[in-house]
Amino acid sequence: MSVLLAFLAAALFGTGTFLLLQRRLSRIIIGIGLIGHGSNVLLLTSGGGRGLPPIIDSADPTDFSDPLPQALALTSIVITFGVTAFLFALGYRSWKITHDDIVEDDVEDRYIARRVVVDQMVAEGEAAAREIELDEDRG
Amino acid sequence: MSTQAPTSGPQRLVILDQSIKVLYQSILVLSLYFLFAGHNLPGGGFVGGLTAGAAVSLRYVSGGAMAVRTAFRLPSHIVLGLGLLVSAGTALIPVVLGGAVLEHGDREVGLPIFGDVKFVSALAFDIGVYLVVVGLVLMAFAAFGDDLGPIESTAPPEPPDGTGREAS
Amino acid sequence: MFVLLALHLVVGTAAIASGRQLGRWAFALAASAPAATLIWLLTQAGDVVDGSPAVARFEWVDQLGLALDLVLDGFALLMVSIVSGIGLLICVYAIAYFAPHDPAGDDTETEAHHPRAVGRLAGMMTLFAGAMLGIVLSDHLIALFVFWELTSITSYLLIGNDDTNPRARAAALQAILITGMGGLALLAGLIIIGQAGGTYRITELVADPPTGSIVNAGLICVLVGAFTKSAQAPFSSWLPGAMVAPTPVSAYLHSATMVKAGVYLVARFAPLFAIAGSWRVLVLTVGSATMLIGGLRALRQTDLKLLLAYGTVSQLGFMMLLLGTGLDHIALAGVVLLLAHAAFKATLFMIVGIIDHETGTRDVRRLHGFGPRWRVTQFCAVIAAASMAGVPLLFGFISKELALEGYLEHGDVTGAAVVLIVIVAASVLTFAYSARFVLGMFGVLAAPDADPTDIALTRDAHAPGWLFLAPAASLTALTLAFGLVPQSLDQFVDAALGALHPSAETVHLHLWNGFTGAFVLSSIVILGGVLLTVFRRPVAAAQRSGAAALRFVPTADRSFNALLRWTGVTARRVTATVQNGSLPIYVSVIVLVATVVPLIAFVGDFDGFPQLVESPVHVALVGAMVGAALAASIVRRRIAGALMLGAVGYLMAGLYVTQGAPDLALTQFAIETLSTVLFVLVLRHLPSSWSHRAPAIAAPMRVGVSLAVGATIFVFALVASGARDNVAGPQQSEVMIDSSLPKGKGHNVVNVILVDFRGWDTLGEITVLLVAAAGAVSLARTGRRRGDGGPTLEELLDELEPATDVDGAVDRELDDLDVEVPR
Amino acid sequence: MIGAVDFATWGGHLAADALAPDRGSIDVLVPFSVIVPLVAAAVSVIAARNRIAQRVIGLGALLAVLVANVVLLVRVDDMAEGIAVSQAGGWAAPLGISLVVDRLAAIMLVVSSLMLVSVLVFAIGQQAEERRFAAFHPVYLVLAAGVSASFITGDLFNLFVAFEMMLVASYVLLTLGGRPGQVRSGMSYVVISLIASTFFITALALVYSATGTVNMAELSERIPQLPSGVQTGFSLLLIIVFGIKAGLFPLFFWLPDSYPTAPNAVTAIFAGLLTKVGVYAIIRTQLLLFPDDARQGTLLLVVAALTMITGVLGAIAQDDLQRILSFHIISHIGYMIFGLALFTLAGIAGAIFYIVHHIVVKTALFLVAGMIERKAGSDRLSRIGGMVRSAPMIAVLFAFPALSIVGIPPFSGFVAKFALVDAGISVEQWPIVAVALAVSLLTMYVMGRIWAGAFWGTCEDAAVSDRLRPGQTRVPLLMTLSTAVVVAASIALVVFAGPMYDLAERAAVDLLVPQNYVQQVLGATK
């Protein structure tokens, strides 16, 4: 692991995160792609420094790059691809329904948020009513 | 690029069409090479399957969804299912025979040529992988490539009313 | 004993199940359980009184010390006789109570009188009786708790049995929340005591009671549980509320049995722990307050049933004062009061039920005196009320005398003098509200300007049938008999007291104790009571003005409702903050937590930078990738973003090549091609550039989060790779390189790992692909053809509209609330 | 010597031999619960056009798995070492992937397969998504395989793969039907899960980078050699990664937004199993991989308390039955973490018992919610009511699990709560005990609201009240039956609470002494 590659991973994670924090599914997918690449950089470099392709008899095994992280990275790339393909399908579906790919806020959660406003209104109304009642008492 | 993705049309160049067909077939051959060489050289089921997928995408770009459908006779879900069946089968069969799951080789049946049979069994697993990847690509094109449904209008999409969102 | 409990369970279930067919006769079925219990009790009574209790044990969760230990000792014998005796009478009474009748004409139509509701009631009461038996028989703290909670649940279901009545539902909820709260405190307390004592068995705890400050804390928890169950101040508000239940339920659960569970528990614990910590102070304070407040409020009621309910609260406070002190003389009075109270209070409740049933009202202002055929009923009411008031020659008098005597004797106990005054004062109130009950029944308190139909309502009311009256009459007979010949109870009471206080003297109950201090106090009580009754108008006026002055002091009832509403408001506020529904906010919280929290741990082990650059090729690659990534994050067009991502991907493939990973490079290359094509396939439908919709999070915030995440990953990577030197042992992959050819029969180690060594991973991986593909197709195809089962777009849009019309929905609610909300 | 060569001598054995009491053959059953559903899923995909065949295959496979898991549990529990190990591919530990079933895993396997079978029957009875979508059966089977794979894996990277199997299946099931709400919540669910997965990969990369292995047994030996800050960092990172799936505070946002939108049967199985897989992973990794000083007891206690409170408050704030129950899952995850966070025998045993109880009871509640929705046509409490009269059977089926989840004795929830509170008090963790009890009171309030809202009262919504007349809408028999089976299972947990808790305690003993696990997995090579 060199500082440069660590920086690369960091940069990929950073830009990816920036994209993740938005409403558009297409940008989010790009963001996921970027942090996915970032995690693969980490995975690839977790076996140590660079080396030669790990193919027996092609070179001295001590010069090989670590094959296990490669296998793991390959697995993770393929899995991420599969899941991303499904996410595409969701985006596609979203477009079919709403002609957009915005990830809307959850309806029920918005409902609760509005209820809080109502609660505050009611509380204020009651406080005012109590105030009036006390005034009448004094008067 | 998106707006240019051709679906059909008489203006398509015949030469391009033919060259893509040749390219398609040679990429398919390459994908099979990757599949079979994978155990000893870079390649394997994934790379092979994905290469085949790239070939299919080429085919799609040139000929649209119909071309993809005619290129592969088998329905894509059967390709997918067969792929998993082959791979999971090579995992299950040793268990049924009393070995470890996914155990490769011939020890169960005791064939004389130890190494070769081992090679075959692992290859079967890799073929399953290959099939699943090809199936995935086929299905992906089936899912996103074919837009001719009744609810699809050819007019540019308008935001439907009453959904409570601001115009974009 | 388990057979008896099981019998209650079976009979109860049967009564519920067959309610629709049996209707009110389900109570006849239900009566079989207490009847059987009483018969069994008779066979055991001799042995128990002789000091050899019956025991039974069932192991439940041994490791946790959970078991059901049952013991029938003298005190349990007394409690079981109350539970089953009153239970049997109530069942008989209920058969008549639920008989269809005709003054109002329409009440058989209501849900409460529907046969299945009545059957459910009968079954639930049987289940309750079983649970109550369990409480008084348990010799194991947790077993006791099990039955304790079961009584709460059955009480909840019984109060809310007329579920179409919103008041019943609210009262049920209040009852279960308050007793449930106490139950949880009780559980904590019992566990603390059990752990400190090393056993949950009461008989073993008696032998060696634990001590210490933790035990004292546990005892406070136990007391909270007992107070809630026995409706002590400030937890008493649920009991009057529970009066919405049908009268048999009120008479049984909410006066004679369940509410005594707390008193029972205190009685069991007091001899062991009364001297510990703040037990006695708490019990005496709470008991006194309850007794007084209950009495005062009872005196103000116009509803006879509510009058009795507050009276019950007051009497429960009295019992606390008697049984919670841990002193055998005073406890004796408590034991007798338990019996006396069960007899007179059940009678009075049954009579209220009769009045309510026959006239349709319980309001003293609408009762105008009954006809001559009501004499027997009125006689029973007078006797029971007099017993409650402590008039001599009746059972209640005996217990009151014993109580006064006990406190006079134990004048040296801290606060005894105050308690004595409280008892006297509250007894005056008791006399007054007992008198009020009687006067109300005789029509003395009727509103002067009543309308004539009301007068006819009582005057011409049907007298209750013999079945209806018999239970109350038999209890009245007991009140009279035990008042005149208390000696007959000596053995029984002695056994009960002996179970609590093994060292207590032998009990001798007397009708007449001579002119003692207690008798003087009793006379004062009666005199005071008579005065209060005579001057009831000025007293009522004083009470009204007192209540008006205290208008802004929150009552327990109002506090409970306020608390409940506060809980709802807080819940919504917290939820609206935490669960705000916005994905960008969720994501930012998650990534920040996932990076910053571990960062705090990692940063300490950062020990310097490794080599800066491995190869010059990297510089070019990394430069290009970072550039592309930045471009991807700022370009405004979707397609451009997708292509930039593709560029990063192809450059990744290049990086893989330089790292000696050709398989990865090939895979990355192929996947990048495919996903770019797919991306474009999807994107071509979407508008080409981002809309101007305001983002959920402001740009500076986004940049900040991104920088934090990036920096954290940087540290993670360096620290983790730097830590490798500390670990002994080979890389897992060294074995793999060595085994690739001999075991895996392949030269390409990565491929051998994928298809052989870690084929299990690969199997999972292709499964993911299969599912993703199947899901994508399923999703993309749904609704594409009509009639394929999925909804069409039109249907979906219909569905979308009301779902997103949040503002509309809230506004409709606001209309109801009559509040305006600014947009 | 569980090497590849050993298996050669067992050639020719049939799977039936696995029932024989010999050590090696029980190991054969270890991968069974993953591989059988996978093969069945493959066949089910091929048979996409034939729903009857899919049903037979699905039910047959899951029933076979259930039987196998019961055998496995009984045999593993009989063994002195209490652990069955199978090395995938026959490759000894660090080379291949170790599949390990100890008592905890065996318990989880049995409970989860019972739920999977029951819910599948429910889904078939429902005649809804299961019938409409060919993808349902194969995806459901993959979900089953993924859940089992997460339980049995002894390899950290394989845990990632198993999670992904389970998750991708959950994405598909969640969005089956593609309704607007599903798509919306599906998007945030998938995105958050993908982020979690990426962080998991990151954690794996860091762990491999620092230790050179992803085998959990080896990690158990190597992580204690790392600098303490790195140990703690890994511990935290894994808690967070699994905490997202488990629904810990403050990582649970995705759960209540997404679960209620799924088809009923799917929500039931998600509620029962998925979050518990996350909790299982936390328990497994915390106890196996990290030495005492890297475990996050205090932090977990705080998180547990906050999870309990925010979850139950969320449940109070909602009106929709499915959302109430979904928030409620979160609250109860807090209890399990509470048990774990004590890191005592009693605490962990309590947590295990709680997990088992919660899987069964929560599944039951969601199944009942499905029945309510079918019967009443709505799951908004404000729109329904009076079902104690119109559907007494549903009321009874609801009452038992509801009482249980509140912790009313003698139901299973009481034993679970008692075990936890007992454990908490014995180490004098007063604040968490107080929170647990207070939350349990609020839980009672929540269940009371559901009861009063759905079963008591009258129904003011005309459209709904029409349906609520007795016999108006019939709930299919299979739905009732399968729900009854799950409810019966929860009652069985009461009756057999003693043996069940003993088993949980034995499992907890195993977990607290990871050396045995390490030795059994690596033993062959040393």
Side-chain angles (χ1 to χ4, degrees):
Chain A
M1 167 64 72
S2 64
V3 175
L4 184 66
L5 290 184
F7 169 73
L8 174 63
L12 289 171
F13 264 92
T15 48
T17 307
F18 182 77
L19 283 163
L20 280 180
L21 301 180
Q22 317 203 355
R23 283 187 186 279
R24 298 280 166 187
L25 188 65
S26 19
R27 295 202 99 174
I28 291 174
I29 290 178
I30 297 174
I32 286 177
L34 289 178
I35 65 169
H37 287 317
S39 67
N40 283 329
V41 170
L42 289 178
L43 200 51
L44 186 73
T45 53
S46 68
R50 53 198 291 242
L52 297 171
I55 293 172
I56 307 288
D57 296 343
S58 70
D60 182 2
T62 50
D63 293 338
F64 285 168
S65 56
D66 192 337
L68 181 59
Q70 294 183 23
L72 303 186
L74 202 150
T75 306
S76 105
I77 291 173
V78 174
I79 287 179
T80 312
F81 169 69
V83 177
T84 311
F86 182 72
L87 202 49
F88 280 141
L90 274 179
Y92 181 79
R93 181 78 188 164
S94 168
W95 166 77
K96 282 211 158 181
I97 297 170
T98 65
H99 291 271
D100 207 341
D101 64 343
I102 282 186
V103 185
E104 289 289 346
D105 287 357
D106 192 80
V107 175
E108 296 274 349
D109 292 337
R110 277 161 61 205
Y111 179 77
I112 300 284
R114 296 275 302 179
R115 283 295 304 271
V116 170
V117 177
V118 177
D119 286 341
Q120 278 159 1
M121 295 287 156
V122 172
E124 279 165 24
E126 274 179 3
R130 202 171 307 132
E131 204 55 39
I132 293 166
E133 203 173 333
L134 280 174
D135 284 347
E136 281 170 359
D137 266 16
R138 288 187 205 111
Chain B
M1 185 166 176
S2 71
T3 47
Q4 291 151 11
T7 46
S8 64
Q11 72 271 42
R12 207 171 50 215
L13 290 173
V14 180
I15 296 175
L16 181 67
D17 214 25
Q18 283 305 311
S19 53
I20 280 177
K21 201 169 253 175
V22 171
L23 200 57
Y24 168 72
Q25 273 149 3
S26 43
I27 297 180
L28 272 189
V29 172
L30 178 69
S31 85
L32 289 176
Y33 168 77
F34 276 139
L35 169 65
F36 289 106
H39 221 48
N40 295 310
L41 292 166
F46 280 115
V47 178
L50 288 167
T51 313
V56 173
S57 68
L58 203 62
R59 182 87 182 193
Y60 172 81
V61 171
S62 72
M66 279 310 288
V68 176
R69 215 170 290 155
T70 49
F72 274 75
R73 293 277 165 70
L74 274 177
S76 51
H77 71 267
I78 300 220
V79 179
L80 267 177
L82 276 180
L84 183 61
L85 190 61
V86 170
S87 291
T90 59
L92 181 63
I93 288 169
V95 179
V96 174
L97 296 175
V101 67
L102 268 173
E103 191 166 345
H104 293 310
D106 67 325
R107 283 159 297 205
E108 297 87 349
V109 279
L111 284 186
I113 316 159
F114 192 79
D116 284 356
V117 180
K118 167 81 187 170
F119 172 75
V120 167
S121 159
L123 182 65
F125 185 77
D126 227 5
I127 289 174
V129 174
Y130 180 91
L131 285 178
V132 169
V133 176
V134 172
L136 167 78
V137 175
L138 287 177
M139 281 189 109
F141 281 109
F144 306 124
D146 182 3
D147 293 327
L148 303 170
I151 64 167
E152 179 89 358
S153 57
T154 45
E158 282 170 31
D161 297 329
T163 51
R165 73 192 70 254
E166 300 92 315
S168 46
Chain C
M1 281 182 254
F2 287 113
V3 177
L4 283 179
L5 295 182
L7 177 73
H8 279 85
L9 180 63
V10 171
V11 169
T13 317
I16 295 174
S18 57
R20 201 181 290 261
Q21 292 79 37
L22 292 178
R24 66 193 174 110
W25 293 103
F27 279 100
L29 176 63
S32 62
T37 312
L38 284 176
I39 293 170
W40 171 80
L41 211 57
L42 282 177
T43 66
Q44 299 289 322
D47 286 349
V48 174
V49 170
D50 292 344
S52 55
V55 293
R57 182 177 172 82
F58 171 76
E59 295 285 340
W60 190 20
V61 187
D62 210 22
Q63 298 286 331
L64 292 171
L66 295 184
L68 298 182
D69 285 300
L70 303 183
V71 170
L72 180 75
D73 63 4
F75 193 45
L77 181 73
L78 180 133
M79 292 301 293
V80 173
S81 357
I82 295 179
V83 171
S84 296
I86 305 280
L88 182 62
L89 293 175
I90 292 286
C91 283
V92 174
Y93 172 80
I95 295 174
Y97 180 85
F98 286 106
H101 67 354
D102 210 20
D106 57 348
D107 66 341
T108 48
E109 293 295 309
T110 63
E111 174 55 29
H113 285 75
H114 192 283
R116 67 174 168 235
V118 174
R120 211 160 56 210
L121 202 74
M124 278 297 164
M125 275 177 75
T126 317
L127 294 180
F128 163 79
M132 197 63 214
L133 279 186
I135 291 185
V136 297
L137 288 174
S138 291
D139 182 35
H140 186 283
L141 295 181
I142 305 303
L144 184 147
F145 179 77
V146 169
F147 294 115
W148 181 284
E149 290 289 83
L150 286 179
T151 60
S152 295
I153 291 295
T154 42
S155 160
Y156 169 76
L157 292 170
L158 284 169
I159 298 173
N161 195 52
D162 175 17
D163 65 88
T164 49
N165 178 357
R167 278 184 48 230
R169 296 201 297 270
L173 184 68
Q174 190 183 14
I176 195 160
L177 284 181
I178 290 180
T179 53
M181 190 269 286
L184 291 166
L186 176 66
L187 177 64
L190 293 180
I191 294 178
I192 290 171
I193 291 168
Q195 284 191 358
T199 175
Y200 286 115
R201 296 200 54 171
I202 298 172
T203 39
E204 288 168 14
L205 284 169
V206 168
D208 179 20
T211 52
S213 58
I214 289 185
V215 173
N216 291 344
L219 288 173
I220 293 176
C221 294
V222 169
L223 279 180
V224 169
F227 290 160
T228 54
K229 195 78 169 180
S230 284
Q232 302 292 298
F235 309 116
S236 50
S237 63
W238 67 267
L239 183 56
M243 293 300 132
V244 296
T247 301
V249 173
S250 312
Y252 191 37
L253 273 74
H254 304 126
S255 84
T257 53
M258 188 185 85
V259 288
K260 289 188 181 139
V263 175
Y264 168 84
L265 183 67
V266 166
R268 282 277 182 202
F269 270 37
L272 313 181
F273 299 112
I275 42 165
S278 43
W279 173 284
R280 201 174 272 163
V281 176
L282 259 174
V283 169
L284 294 186
T285 315
V286 171
S288 304
T290 311
M291 195 176 176
L292 276 176
I293 295 174
L296 278 171
R297 300 202 69 166
L299 202 51
R300 282 173 53 199
Q301 302 307 317
T302 52
D303 181 336
L304 284 179
K305 199 171 174 187
L306 275 181
L307 184 151
L308 289 182
Y310 282 107
T312 306
V313 170
S314 173
Q315 294 283 315
L316 287 168
F318 194 17
M319 291 179 213
M320 277 292 167
L321 290 178
L322 298 180
L323 287 165
T325 55
L327 301 168
D328 51 358
H329 275 90
I330 301 178
L332 170 63
V335 170
V336 179
L337 180 61
L338 275 175
L339 278 174
H341 180 259
F344 65 68
K345 196 48 79 56
T347 310
L348 292 174
F349 266 107
M350 288 196 237
I351 287 170
V352 169
I354 290 173
I355 294 173
D356 191 14
H357 189 261
E358 303 299 348
T359 66
T361 182
R362 310 183 300 235
D363 192 326
V364 289
R365 287 164 304 189
R366 294 180 65 197
L367 294 175
H368 291 267
F370 293 95
R373 297 185 55 200
W374 280 74
R375 288 286 140 76
V376 182
T377 316
Q378 283 170 333
F379 174 74
C380 291
V382 170
I383 293 295
S387 176
M388 175 156 80
V391 174
L393 302 184
L394 295 170
F395 200 15
F397 172 73
I398 293 181
S399 63
K400 197 156 285 177
E401 279 268 299
L402 283 170
L404 296 170
E405 209 176 276
Y407 266 101
L408 281 173
E409 205 167 304
H410 286 283
D412 51 332
V413 174
T414 325
V418 181
V419 173
L420 196 58
I421 295 170
V422 167
I423 292 178
V424 171
S427 298
V428 171
L429 292 171
T430 309
F431 189 100
Y433 69 71
S434 305
R436 183 176 170 82
F437 182 90
V438 172
L439 295 179
M441 192 182 173
F442 280 97
V444 179
L445 303 177
D449 51 348
D451 90 65
T453 55
D454 255 12
I455 297 174
L457 197 66
T458 20
R459 291 268 156 81
D460 306 339
H462 285 274
W466 65 269
L467 187 69
F468 209 177
L469 192 54
S474 46
L475 281 176
T476 311
L478 285 181
T479 301
L480 275 169
F482 291 143
L484 292 169
V485 200
Q487 295 85 339
S488 57
L489 282 172
D490 275 0
Q491 268 193 315
F492 187 55
V493 172
D494 189 51
L497 189 65
L500 297 176
H501 296 271
S503 57
E505 298 164 25
T506 317
V507 173
H508 294 293
L509 298 176
H510 300 290
L511 175 60
W512 175 249
N513 286 321
F515 287 99
T516 57
F519 183 75
V520 175
L521 291 177
S522 285
S523 314
I524 294 175
V525 166
I526 293 173
L527 191 66
V530 170
L531 284 176
L532 269 190
T533 311
V534 172
F535 296 108
R536 59 179 179 272
R537 292 224 168 72
V539 170
Q543 273 205 311
R544 267 198 301 279
S545 57
L550 294 174
R551 185 152 47 103
F552 290 107
V553 177
T555 63
D557 208 23
R558 258 193 289 169
S559 318
F560 174 81
N561 287 329
L563 190 66
L564 209 57
R565 229 184 42 190
W566 178 83
T567 310
V569 170
T570 312
R572 281 194 287 275
R573 188 170 299 161
V574 170
T575 307
T577 314
V578 174
Q579 189 79 20
N580 52 43
S582 178
L583 180 63
I585 293 174
Y586 294 172
V587 171
S588 52
V589 172
I590 288 176
V591 295
L592 277 180
V593 170
T595 49
V596 174
V597 174
L599 178 68
I600 298 165
F602 273 119
V603 119
D605 284 319
F606 180 71
D607 55 351
F609 292 97
Q611 74 185 113
L612 220 51
V613 178
E614 274 180 291
S615 126
V617 189
H618 280 174
V619 179
L621 273 174
V622 169
M625 279 165 86
V626 172
L630 280 174
S633 61
I634 52 175
V635 287
R636 299 207 64 81
R637 295 175 69 85
R638 283 190 171 80
I639 296 293
L643 292 180
M644 283 301 134
L645 176 65
V648 175
Y650 289 122
L651 289 165
M652 274 298 281
L655 181 69
Y656 292 145
V657 172
T658 69
Q659 293 297 99
D663 287 86
L664 259 185
L666 276 173
T667 312
Q668 179 67 45
F669 186 82
I671 280 196
E672 209 51 57
T673 310
L674 254 179
S675 38
T676 308
V677 171
L678 278 185
F679 212 154
V680 168
L681 276 181
V682 175
L683 287 189
R684 64 185 164 156
H685 301 297
L686 296 167
S688 63
S689 61
W690 326 115
S691 73
H692 306 297
R693 179 88 186 270
I697 305 178
M701 182 75 186
R702 283 195 309 233
V703 173
V705 174
S706 311
L707 286 177
V709 171
T712 312
I713 293 295
F714 187 68
V715 176
F716 281 2
L718 295 182
V719 172
S721 65
R724 178 72 181 93
D725 306 334
N726 297 287
V727 176
Q731 301 270 90
Q732 208 177 349
S733 50
E734 285 171 29
V735 197
M736 294 176 172
I737 296 175
D738 292 344
S739 324
S740 175
L741 198 56
K743 290 186 177 170
K745 312 295 172 199
H747 289 82
N748 182 355
V749 186
V750 175
N751 186 266
V752 171
I753 293 175
L754 281 174
V755 300
D756 200 342
F757 299 153
R758 297 187 69 93
W760 187 249
D761 272 351
T762 309
L763 186 60
E765 182 185 348
I766 59 173
T767 314
V768 170
L769 292 187
L770 174 124
V771 172
V777 169
S778 181
L779 204 53
R781 287 254 173 99
T782 305
R784 202 173 272 197
R785 291 184 308 269
R786 270 176 209 282
D788 70 344
T792 63
L793 186 65
E794 289 78 12
E795 288 165 18
L796 290 178
L797 288 178
D798 285 348
E799 202 176 292
L800 196 63
E801 166 124 37
T804 49
D805 188 20
V806 178
D807 299 344
V810 176
D811 286 345
R812 276 194 295 281
E813 233 168 86
L814 292 185
D815 289 343
D816 297 343
L817 290 166
D818 213 18
V819 181
E820 269 186 41
V821 178
R823 284 304 188 86
Chain D
M1 286 314 225
I2 314 178
V5 188
D6 271 35
F7 283 110
T9 54
W10 297 329
H13 282 211
L14 291 172
D17 287 349
L19 302 180
D22 109 57
R23 170 68 215 265
S25 49
I26 202 62
D27 293 344
V28 166
L29 279 184
V30 170
F32 206 70
S33 55
V34 177
I35 195 75
V36 169
L38 281 189
V39 171
V43 179
S44 196
V45 169
I46 295 169
R49 302 258 154 79
N50 186 341
R51 204 65 81 241
I52 306 279
Q54 282 195 324
R55 286 174 186 170
V56 171
I57 294 161
L59 276 178
L62 291 179
L63 276 173
V65 169
L66 175 62
V67 172
N69 286 342
V70 170
V71 173
L72 195 59
L73 174 62
V74 171
R75 302 233 53 84
V76 164
D77 192 39
D78 269 357
M79 279 186 232
E81 57 271 42
I83 199 166
V85 182
S86 166
Q87 309 282 7
W91 305 115
L95 187 54
I97 294 172
S98 308
L99 306 177
V100 190
V101 172
D102 60 356
R103 290 193 176 94
L104 175 60
I107 295 170
M108 299 298 287
L109 284 174
V110 169
V111 181
S112 63
S113 49
L114 178 63
M115 292 306 115
L116 284 160
V117 171
S118 313
V119 173
L120 184 58
V121 173
F122 185 90
I124 292 172
Q126 237 182 346
Q127 303 268 327
E129 280 75 11
E130 182 268 343
R131 195 171 62 168
R132 289 220 311 263
F133 298 100
F136 181 89
H137 278 279
V139 175
Y140 189 84
L141 286 165
V142 170
L143 184 83
V147 169
S148 303
S150 314
F151 291 147
I152 66 173
T153 188
D155 184 288
L156 206 52
F157 187 83
N158 187 246
L159 184 59
F160 163 77
V161 176
F163 263 172
E164 289 305 312
M165 284 164 76
M166 180 179 91
L167 287 173
V168 77
S170 74
Y171 307 150
V172 174
L173 290 175
L174 182 76
T175 52
L176 217 51
R179 289 169 182 280
Q182 288 178 307
V183 172
R184 195 222 74 82
S185 68
M187 289 195 286
S188 44
Y189 177 55
V190 176
V191 167
I192 289 178
S193 297
L194 261 174
I195 292 169
S197 300
T198 315
F199 274 99
F200 195 179
I201 287 289
T202 308
L204 279 163
L206 300 177
V207 166
Y208 187 79
S209 177
T211 63
T213 184
V214 287
N215 182 295
M216 294 213 258
E218 280 199 328
L219 283 173
S220 178
E221 292 181 328
R222 291 187 185 182
I223 285 182
Q225 301 169 17
L226 291 169
S228 66
V230 178
Q231 289 182 33
T232 312
F234 283 159
S235 169
L236 289 169
L237 206 49
L238 289 181
I239 288 176
I240 292 164
V241 166
F242 300 137
I244 297 176
K245 328 248 159 170
L248 290 191
F249 180 89
L251 310 164
F252 60 68
F253 315 113
W254 55 271
L255 192 153
D257 285 353
S258 59
Y259 278 16
T261 61
N264 286 128
V266 171
T267 319
I269 204 71
F270 283 10
L273 295 184
L274 295 201
T275 47
K276 257 63 78 184
V277 177
V279 176
Y280 172 89
I282 293 178
I283 293 180
R284 176 67 76 202
T285 51
Q286 286 292 302
L287 289 171
L288 180 59
L289 303 188
F290 298 99
D292 283 342
D293 47 356
R295 290 175 190 158
Q296 302 300 318
T298 317
L299 176 89
L300 281 176
L301 279 180
V302 174
V303 168
L306 289 170
T307 309
M308 286 184 215
I309 294 169
T310 43
V312 83
L313 288 181
I316 290 175
Q318 309 296 322
D319 179 49
D320 180 289
L321 187 53
Q322 306 257 2
R323 284 182 77 87
I324 294 177
L325 292 176
S326 299
F327 267 103
H328 217 264
I329 301 173
I330 297 165
S331 173
H332 282 254
I333 296 294
Y335 282 88
M336 301 164 204
I337 299 300
F338 158 32
L340 169 70
L342 297 175
F343 288 109
T344 61
L345 179 63
I348 294 166
I352 295 172
F353 192 93
Y354 206 104
I355 292 176
V356 173
H357 140 75
H358 192 255
I359 289 178
V360 175
V361 167
K362 202 80 211 190
T363 308
L365 280 176
F366 271 99
L367 291 183
V368 176
M371 292 171 73
I372 292 174
E373 196 187 347
R374 168 61 65 96
K375 178 81 189 172
S378 170
D379 46 19
R380 288 206 167 271
L381 293 182
S382 51
R383 286 203 202 155
I384 59 181
M387 293 184 75
V388 77
R389 274 161 275 128
S390 58
M393 187 65 196
I394 298 181
V396 170
L397 285 177
F398 174 80
F400 285 106
L403 290 174
S404 183
I405 207 135
V406 175
I408 296 295
F411 298 100
S412 54
F414 169 70
V415 183
K417 188 172 78 182
F418 179 84
L420 288 180
V421 171
D422 190 52
I425 287 179
S426 68
V427 292
E428 309 204 348
Q429 290 286 358
W430 304 113
I432 190 82
V433 170
V435 169
L437 290 175
V439 168
S440 145
L441 182 67
L442 292 175
T443 302
M444 185 187 274
Y445 175 48
V446 171
M447 288 298 144
R449 268 189 60 213
I450 297 180
W451 178 263
F455 294 99
W456 276 356
T458 48
C459 186
E460 278 147 31
D461 190 308
V464 174
S465 80
D466 258 5
R467 298 178 60 137
L468 277 176
R469 276 194 214 110
Q472 206 78 4
T473 315
R474 293 198 67 81
V475 175
L477 185 65
L478 272 185
M479 286 170 76
T480 315
L481 268 183
S482 51
T483 312
V485 166
V486 181
V487 171
S490 81
I491 292 171
L493 265 184
V494 181
V495 179
F496 301 107
M500 185 59 224
Y501 184 83
D502 286 353
L503 180 61
E505 201 170 71
R506 286 196 293 278
V509 172
D510 293 350
L511 290 173
L512 281 170
V513 190
Q515 286 78 9
N516 181 45
Y517 182 104
V518 174
Q519 206 185 346
Q520 292 296 326
V521 173
L522 298 180
T525 56
K526 295 222 164 142

